[in-house]
Amino acid sequence: MQDVARLAGVSVSTVSYVLTGVRPVSDTTRQRVQAAMDTLGYQRNALARGLASRRSHILALLFPAIERGLSGTALEFVTSAAETARRHGYHLVLWPTGADDEAETRDLVRQRLVDGVVVMEVKLHDPRVVELQRGDTPFTLIGRTADPAGLPYADIDFDATVRDALDHLTGLGHRHIGLLSHSRGSLQAGYGPTVRVLAAFEREARQRGLLTAIRHCDETADAGRAAVAELFAERPDLTALVTLNDNATFGAVAQIVDGGRRIPGDVSVLSVVSSPQVGALSHPRLTTMAAPGARLGRLGVESLLARIEGPPAVAATGASTLHELIPCRLDVGATTGPAPTTS
Amino acid sequence: MQDVARLAGVSVSTVSYVLTGVRPVSDTTRQRVQAAMDTLGYQRNALARGLASRRSHILALLFPAIERGLSGTALEFVTSAAETARRHGYHLVLWPTGADDEAETRDLVRQRLVDGVVVMEVKLHDPRVVELQRGDTPFTLIGRTADPAGLPYADIDFDATVRDALDHLTGLGHRHIGLLSHSRGSLQAGYGPTVRVLAAFEREARQRGLLTAIRHCDETADAGRAAVAELFAERPDLTALVTLNDNATFGAVAQIVDGGRRIPGDVSVLSVVSSPQVGALSHPRLTTMAAPGARLGRLGVESLLARIEGPPAVAATGASTLHELIPCRLDVGATTGPAPTTS
DNA sequence: TTGTATGCGTTATCAG
DNA sequence: CTGATAACGCATACAA
C-alpha cells in the first residue's frame, strides 16, 4: 500500500479510502491511485485488513464429517454456498466437525477467523447451535432445531413436500402407501429430514385415511431390498412407496421387480429429497422430488451476510430473521402411475 | 493474550512462546500460562497471528464451478482434504474458479490470504497452473498438466487402471471391447481423465490385439443410451464395455438390456474411475474400479504442507517433489463375466 | 529462563 | 478533500 501511495503521490490513508470508499476522494486522485494499483498489480493484504477492520470476510461452513457420506445435493449446496460467498467478496472455509462438535465449534469462533457460520445438517438438538448461541458470531442454520423460533434458518419444507408427494399419489388413486426412510439411528439422533418426514407422513396419511407401512433402513441398496421385502410382507396390498433414501431406493426398486411386481403397473415409487439426476440413473426413470440444494446454499449465505453487514439493529433484535422453508420440486418420471384397479 | 499474561503473571511474549514453543519455557511458568489460558478459554486471534508470522494457516482448494456437476468422489476428495488440513491445524477455503480462471487465481494469491493452493481438476493446459508458477505461493495439483515434470502432483494412475481393467476382461476371454468415455468436449478441453484413459485404452488394446469401438458422450443416462446404441451398431460383436462416465453408464446398461443382450451373459460392463457405492445402485451390481478420492485429498494436502513447512531447500530445489499416481481399485460385481463362446 | 520493543499491512481517528 | 498516526493482536529480535 505504501508503494501505491508513493507512486500515486498521496498518503497511505488516501489509498485506503479509495479502497473502502468510506470517505469522499476527488476524482483526479482516485484515478491516480487506481492507476498506481493497476500498474503494481496491488491487492490488499487480507490478513491485515481483517485485523484492522475486525472483519475477516471469511465465513465458515460447519458440516458433519463422513456421516451418511454426504449426498450429491450436499455438494450442490456447498458449491452454491461457496459461489455466493465469493460473489459478495467473502471466502468460505470448510469446517468438518467430528465427534466433539461442541468444543470444535467453540474453538473455531474464538479464533475470530470467521465473520459468520453456516451450519449444515442441523439436528433437532444440536450442540453446535447451543454453542453458537453462547457466542456473538452471527450464524444461520441449514435445517432447524426442535425449537428454532429465534434462530435464522433455511430448510426444506418437509410438510409441503410430503403433502405434494401424497397429493401426487392419491391423485393417481393410491390408498395403500409405504414409506422407506433413513436409518432408525438417524431418527434417534434427531436428524431433521428423518424426523420431519416421518411426522408429516403419519399426520397426512391419517388425515387422508390412508393405510401405511413404514420402514427405516441404512443408506445402501442392500438395506433397501431387505426393508422393502419386510414392507410387503407386512402389507402386501401396498401400491405405492415413498422413499427418503437415495441409495436404498435403488435396492427397493430392484426388490420390487424381483418380487414379481411391476413398476409402475403394480407399485409406484416416488423418491423425495432427491434429484432428477439421480432419478435418471434408474430404469425406468424415477419420479423424484428434488431437494433445493443450490437454493439453500445461496439463501443461507445471503441471510448470514445480511446479519453481518446489516445495521446492528438487525443482529440485535433479530428483526427480519430468515425463516425460509422450501419444498422439494416434483419431477414426474416413469415410476409413478395409476393405482391398479383392485376389482 | 494480555489477559492471559496478566492472569499468569508473565509478559505477553512468554505467553506467545509457550504457544509457539520456539524458545524454552520453564515448566512452572508454562503450567501457569496453560492454566490461565484454560480458565479464560483463550484462543489465539488467527488474523493477528497470520499477520505477524506471515503464515495464515489457510489453504485454498481451487475447483472449477459447476462443470460436469462434480461427482460423488469429488465430495469425498473435498471432505478428505478439509479433514487433513484441519488435523494439521490448517483451514481450507473453497475457491470456485469460473470462466476467468487466470485472473481469479492471481487475485487469490496476491491477497496473501492462503499459505498454499491445491488445484483440483487440472487440465492438460491449465491457465491456473501457469499463473501459480509465476507466483511464489506453494501449490500441488490433483491431476497433471501435459508436462508436469517439475510440478508436485497426485493423480489417478490411468495407465495402470486401464491395464487392470483390460486384464480383468481379457482374463474372462473378452477380445472385442468398447469404451464409453466422457464428452468429446472434455477431450478437447484437455480434461486429464478423458485424454489419458483414451490414450491408454488405444495403446493397450493395440498391444493386445483387441478389437475396439469408442464413443464419447455427455454425462447423462440418455446420452449413454444413445452412445451405446451407436457402439453396437458399429461393432455388434462387442462382448465387453469399459465406461468412464458414471451417469452414462446407467443409460448404457439399460440400453444393452433393452437391446436384448444379457449382462453379463452377452456383454460385460466395467465402470472405471467410479466407486462400489455407485456400482451398488445398479442392478445387477456393477463391477467398478474405484477412484481414490479420499486418498488423493489427503496426499494433496499433506504434500502441500510439506512444501510450506519444510526447510526452504525443499521448496526451492523441488527436492522430494510429490509425484504420486494411484490406480483405481477393482471391485468385482455382477456385470462382468466370461465372454460368450462364439462357437 | 524471562521481559521489552518493534513490526506485520491495514483501518480509522484526529487534525488540518 | 487529504495527511499523520494510533490501534488491531500477535511474533520475534534484542536485552537482561
Side-chain angles (χ1 to χ4, degrees):
Chain A
M1 204 165 193
Q2 292 209 17
D3 295 342
V4 174
R6 196 176 311 127
L7 184 58
V10 298
S11 71
V12 286
S13 61
T14 297
V15 176
S16 177
Y17 284 118
V18 342
L19 254 355
T20 63
V22 300
R23 110 178 166 184
V25 176
S26 77
D27 263 8
T28 58
T29 62
R30 183 203 315 289
Q31 281 162 14
R32 286 224 311 284
V33 171
Q34 283 289 4
M37 294 197 300
D38 290 349
T39 70
L40 294 180
Y42 171 78
Q43 287 273 119
R44 272 185 290 192
N45 180 301
L47 261 29
R49 171 152 90 118
L51 181 59
S53 66
R54 289 113 183 291
R55 191 130 292 172
S56 66
H57 290 263
I58 300 177
L59 308 178
L61 181 61
L62 249 54
F63 69 99
I66 311 228
E67 301 181 26
R68 236 181 331 282
L70 289 195
S71 61
T73 57
L75 209 162
E76 201 178 275
F77 173 89
V78 170
T79 302
S80 162
E83 285 176 347
T84 304
R86 206 152 95 70
R87 217 178 15 255
H88 291 266
Y90 279 73
H91 301 261
L92 187 70
V93 320
L94 236 47
W95 194 259
T97 54
D100 195 0
D101 305 337
E102 196 166 348
E104 288 171 351
T105 305
R106 179 157 30 80
D107 290 353
L108 170 63
V109 300
R110 291 213 176 144
Q111 290 190 50
R112 301 235 151 255
L113 199 243
V114 300
D115 293 338
V117 178
V118 177
V119 188
M120 270 181 82
E121 307 266 316
V122 174
K123 291 186 296 193
L124 290 195
H125 299 283
D126 201 308
R128 301 172 298 175
V129 176
V130 175
E131 187 56 47
L132 286 169
Q133 287 184 279
R134 269 205 269 277
D136 57 355
T137 304
F139 62 94
T140 57
L141 313 182
I142 306 302
R144 317 157 251 170
T145 57
D147 177 24
L151 306 175
Y153 64 79
D155 196 2
I156 296 172
D157 188 339
F158 294 104
D159 287 352
T161 299
V162 168
R163 238 173 6 243
D164 292 349
L166 292 181
D167 280 350
H168 176 60
L169 292 174
T170 57
L172 290 165
H174 297 275
R175 306 293 302 166
H176 300 178
I177 302 178
L179 173 66
L180 180 61
S181 179
H182 289 298
S183 70
R184 183 158 290 281
S186 76
L187 180 68
Q188 284 154 355
Y191 182 58
T194 311
V195 174
R196 295 202 167 88
V197 165
L198 176 62
F201 185 82
E202 288 181 327
R203 175 167 34 73
E204 289 290 326
R206 200 178 320 117
Q207 285 180 7
R208 300 165 193 236
L210 304 176
L211 294 179
T212 65
I214 297 173
R215 274 293 179 290
H216 293 268
C217 82
D218 290 343
E219 305 275 320
T220 69
D222 283 346
R225 297 185 77 100
V228 162
E230 291 174 24
L231 225 33
F232 279 94
E234 174 184 337
R235 186 171 285 288
D237 54 351
L238 287 181
T239 65
L241 183 63
V242 174
T243 66
L244 178 63
N245 184 326
D246 270 356
N247 290 354
T249 300
F250 286 80
V253 167
Q255 176 66 29
I256 290 169
V257 171
D258 286 1
R261 293 177 164 87
R262 294 162 34 120
I263 300 175
D266 299 317
V267 178
S268 286
V269 177
L270 169 53
S271 179
V272 301
V273 192
S274 180
S275 74
Q277 290 85 336
V278 168
L281 300 185
S282 184
H283 177 61
R285 191 166 65 83
L286 280 167
T287 295
T288 59
M289 295 190 66
R295 182 122 173 259
L296 288 176
R298 191 172 58 71
L299 273 176
V301 167
E302 284 180 347
S303 87
L304 181 57
L305 290 179
R307 288 175 83 79
I308 291 173
E309 301 187 331
V314 172
T317 65
S320 82
T321 292
L322 179 78
H323 277 188
E324 194 96 38
L325 290 180
I326 306 169
C328 296
R329 199 168 33 73
L330 177 66
D331 176 80
V332 178
T335 59
T336 49
T341 51
T342 43
S343 59
Chain B
M1 203 166 194
Q2 292 210 18
D3 295 343
V4 174
R6 197 176 310 126
L7 183 59
V10 297
S11 71
V12 284
S13 65
T14 296
V15 176
S16 177
Y17 284 119
V18 341
L19 253 354
T20 64
V22 299
R23 111 178 166 184
V25 176
S26 78
D27 264 9
T28 57
T29 61
R30 183 203 315 289
Q31 281 162 14
R32 286 225 311 284
V33 171
Q34 283 290 3
M37 293 197 301
D38 290 348
T39 69
L40 294 179
Y42 171 76
Q43 287 275 119
R44 273 183 289 190
N45 180 302
L47 261 29
R49 174 153 89 116
L51 181 58
S53 66
R54 288 109 183 291
R55 191 131 291 172
S56 66
H57 290 261
I58 301 176
L59 307 178
L61 181 60
L62 248 55
F63 69 98
I66 310 222
E67 301 182 26
R68 234 182 332 284
L70 288 197
S71 61
T73 59
L75 210 161
E76 203 178 272
F77 173 89
V78 171
T79 303
S80 164
E83 285 176 347
T84 305
R86 207 151 93 72
R87 216 174 20 250
H88 291 267
Y90 279 73
H91 300 260
L92 187 70
V93 320
L94 236 46
W95 194 259
T97 54
D100 195 359
D101 306 336
E102 196 166 349
E104 287 171 352
T105 306
R106 179 157 32 79
D107 289 352
L108 170 62
V109 301
R110 291 213 177 143
Q111 290 191 50
R112 301 238 149 252
L113 198 243
V114 301
D115 294 338
V117 178
V118 176
V119 188
M120 269 181 83
E121 308 264 317
V122 174
K123 291 185 294 191
L124 291 195
H125 300 281
D126 200 309
R128 300 171 299 173
V129 176
V130 174
E131 187 55 47
L132 286 169
Q133 287 184 280
R134 270 205 269 277
D136 57 355
T137 303
F139 63 93
T140 58
L141 313 181
I142 306 303
R144 316 156 251 170
T145 57
D147 177 25
L151 307 175
Y153 64 80
D155 197 1
I156 295 172
D157 189 339
F158 295 104
D159 288 351
T161 299
V162 168
R163 243 181 351 250
D164 293 349
L166 292 181
D167 280 351
H168 176 60
L169 292 174
T170 57
L172 290 166
H174 296 276
R175 308 292 301 166
H176 300 178
I177 303 178
L179 173 67
L180 181 61
S181 179
H182 289 299
S183 71
R184 183 157 291 281
S186 76
L187 181 69
Q188 285 155 354
Y191 182 59
T194 311
V195 174
R196 295 201 168 89
V197 164
L198 176 62
F201 185 82
E202 289 181 327
R203 176 166 34 73
E204 289 289 326
R206 200 177 320 115
Q207 284 178 8
R208 301 166 192 233
L210 305 176
L211 293 180
T212 65
I214 297 173
R215 273 296 177 290
H216 294 267
C217 83
D218 290 342
E219 307 273 319
T220 69
D222 283 346
R225 296 185 78 100
V228 162
E230 291 175 23
L231 224 33
F232 279 95
E234 173 185 338
R235 188 171 283 287
D237 55 352
L238 287 182
T239 65
L241 183 63
V242 173
T243 65
L244 177 64
N245 185 325
D246 270 356
N247 289 355
T249 300
F250 285 81
V253 166
Q255 177 65 30
I256 290 170
V257 172
D258 286 2
R261 294 179 164 86
R262 294 162 33 119
I263 299 176
D266 299 316
V267 177
S268 287
V269 176
L270 169 55
S271 179
V272 301
V273 193
S274 180
S275 74
Q277 289 85 335
V278 169
L281 300 185
S282 183
H283 178 61
R285 192 166 63 82
L286 280 169
T287 295
T288 59
M289 295 190 67
R295 182 122 173 260
L296 288 176
R298 192 171 58 70
L299 274 175
V301 167
E302 284 180 347
S303 87
L304 181 57
L305 290 179
R307 288 174 83 80
I308 291 172
E309 300 186 332
V314 172
T317 65
S320 81
T321 291
L322 180 79
H323 277 185
E324 194 96 37
L325 291 179
I326 305 169
C328 296
R329 198 168 33 71
L330 178 66
D331 176 81
V332 178
T335 58
T336 50
T341 53
T342 43
S343 59

